[in-house]
Amino acid sequence: MSLIFCSRTDDPEEWRAAFAGHLPDLEFRVWPDVGAEEDVEIALVWDPMEQQLLRFPNLKLIASLGAGVDHLLAATTLPEGVPMTRFVDDNLTQGMREWVLLYTLYCHRRVPEYLAYQRAQDWHRLAAPFSYERRVGMMGLGVLGAASAKPLQDIGFEVIGWSRHEKDLPGVKSYAGAAALDEFLAASDILVCLLPLTPATEGIIDQRLLGALPQGACLINGARGGLVVEADLIAALESGRLSHAVLDVTRKEPLPVDDPLWRAPNITITPHVASITNAQSGARLVAENIRRVRAGEVPHHIVDPEAGY
Ligand code: NAP
Ligand code: GLV
């Protein structure tokens, strides 16, 4: 059995070494050195090109190197009937949990304002509410949203969540579907976005949504840039409707030097590093799915191409 590795950003040698420990009999090929196309049964992909995956007539599994598959679904024609799995891994989850906790506290404890006072050599104290006086709204209560909610609850925040289907997470009030969105937003002092980018969520964070948040709310987006109408976000920051935004993701990545987001007031940008795919733990999970495919079992974490996640 052969695997074709299709990523222009991930290091193939790291993945080759990681797979050798789990599936020593797997032949690991790296695009464009595809060899005999009919041998390839597994594609491990981050950014496949249009038509690329159609070259392999015996493909049995397309394994995404990312948790989000929006770019994959948009960029390439998928061979019919081949399951696509997304990346779900404890280390990826831990990375996002840390990033969300870090930037929620950063907003809650007004770190950006203290940094500005420090630059001005101004010893200035600000009011500090307790965590239990702040409500965090988690947009997206899937693998990452649910896991990120827990440490926030543990240090006292009231966490509420919004998803497509109703959830039953201990202590997290669940809001489901479009009809519940405004009620959820009105109760979100800090809005954390961990939604997938799909046709239903593209541009969801727009002027209307930002206007439904409490005055002076904060936005933390660790999901995808395409969820945000960036001009509307800048306007909300300029008007003070939002007091701060933290973005790990932007529509254009890397963010061009002349992009207005860099110069928006009260914004913190990290370069899509909230949680990075780890080859060691990732290969173990993909190997388990390959084992399942070989045994004729259904792989874990299959993407629903209709829903887009
Ligand atoms: P997931 O398990 O698929 O969870 C997605 C959540 O969003 C689910 O709760 C789902 O609702 C909800 N949702 C989807 N469409 C919705 C809609 N139209 N309305 C309301 N809720 C909707 O995904 P995940 O593993 O948590 O990952 C989330 C996203 O994080 C990924 O798609 C990726 O883009 C991003 N990500 C970013 C980084 C980074 O480094 N910045 C790293 C990893 C992932 P249901 O539960 O009801 O289906
Ligand atoms: C990273 O952004 C991912 O989707 O895993």
Side-chain angles (χ1 to χ4, degrees):
M1 184 182 260
S2 299
L3 174 150
I4 185 76
F5 181 85
C6 308
S7 170
R8 282 160 280 181
T9 47
D10 298 271
D11 176 4
E13 294 317 314
E14 213 185 326
W15 282 89
R16 188 196 299 281
F19 270 108
H22 297 287
L23 295 171
D25 61 329
L26 184 79
E27 193 190 339
F28 190 96
R29 301 179 185 174
V30 180
W31 182 274
D33 297 326
V34 295
E37 289 161 345
E38 61 278 11
D39 298 345
V40 174
E41 294 182 74
I42 312 292
L44 184 60
V45 295
W46 173 247
D47 49 5
M49 292 164 271
E50 174 63 16
Q51 309 286 318
Q52 191 175 13
L53 298 176
L54 300 182
R55 284 185 53 172
F56 308 105
N58 296 318
L59 212 52
K60 294 194 171 51
L61 176 69
I62 300 166
S64 163
L65 282 161
V69 293
D70 46 286
H71 58 296
L72 247 160
L73 293 172
T76 192
T77 307
L78 296 175
E80 220 162 292
V82 181
M84 179 197 283
T85 55
R86 57 186 209 92
F87 202 75
V88 175
D89 163 44
D90 289 348
N91 283 327
L92 192 84
T93 303
Q94 178 61 16
M96 187 58 81
R97 216 186 257 134
E98 290 173 7
W99 187 85
V100 169
L101 178 62
L102 169 66
Y103 283 104
T104 303
L105 287 171
Y106 169 89
C107 291
H108 169 62
R109 295 302 297 256
R110 306 174 71 167
V111 175
E113 289 157 274
Y114 281 120
L115 292 175
Y117 284 123
Q118 181 183 336
R119 279 192 293 273
Q121 292 155 278
D122 186 352
W123 184 270
H124 193 111
R125 286 184 168 157
L126 298 165
F130 291 108
S131 54
Y132 57 76
E133 294 171 307
R134 249 219 258 238
R135 301 158 301 177
V136 179
M138 193 66 70
M139 269 188 113
L141 270 183
V143 174
L144 301 179
S148 300
K150 180 74 175 56
L152 298 175
Q153 288 178 300
D154 288 346
I155 57 162
F157 290 106
E158 179 188 338
V159 182
I160 59 174
W162 186 69
S163 46
R164 237 163 33 116
H165 309 94
E166 202 154 316
K167 302 283 161 187
D168 186 15
L169 288 174
V172 179
K173 184 165 180 193
S174 166
Y175 295 81
L181 180 58
D182 281 6
E183 198 188 334
F184 161 79
L185 293 170
S188 298
D189 301 314
I190 298 175
L191 182 69
V192 177
C193 181
L194 286 173
L195 285 174
L197 177 59
T198 70
T201 62
E202 207 281 335
I204 191 170
I205 302 178
D206 60 2
Q207 185 189 14
R208 200 208 71 78
L209 181 146
L210 296 170
L213 292 168
Q215 175 66 29
C218 297
L219 168 71
I220 299 175
N221 184 14
R224 284 290 183 271
L227 294 158
V228 178
V229 177
E230 291 172 346
D232 291 0
L233 172 62
I234 293 171
L237 289 166
E238 285 174 348
S239 70
R241 177 125 244 319
L242 274 190
S243 61
H244 202 86
V246 181
L247 305 182
D248 185 56
V249 285
T250 48
R251 281 185 181 255
K252 291 187 206 137
E253 293 182 10
L255 190 61
V257 283
D258 59 349
D259 195 287
L261 275 177
W262 286 118
R263 295 185 305 282
N266 302 321
I267 199 164
T268 299
I269 296 171
T270 56
H272 203 144
V273 289
S275 193
I276 306 278
T277 298
N278 174 286
Q280 282 309 323
S281 53
R284 186 175 62 238
L285 283 142
V286 178
E288 165 59 13
N289 269 343
I290 294 174
R291 189 202 62 71
R292 292 179 76 88
V293 167
R294 278 174 166 170
E297 296 166 21
V298 178
H300 294 301
H301 313 301
I302 293 188
V303 172
D304 171 359
E306 281 297 303
Y309 70 104

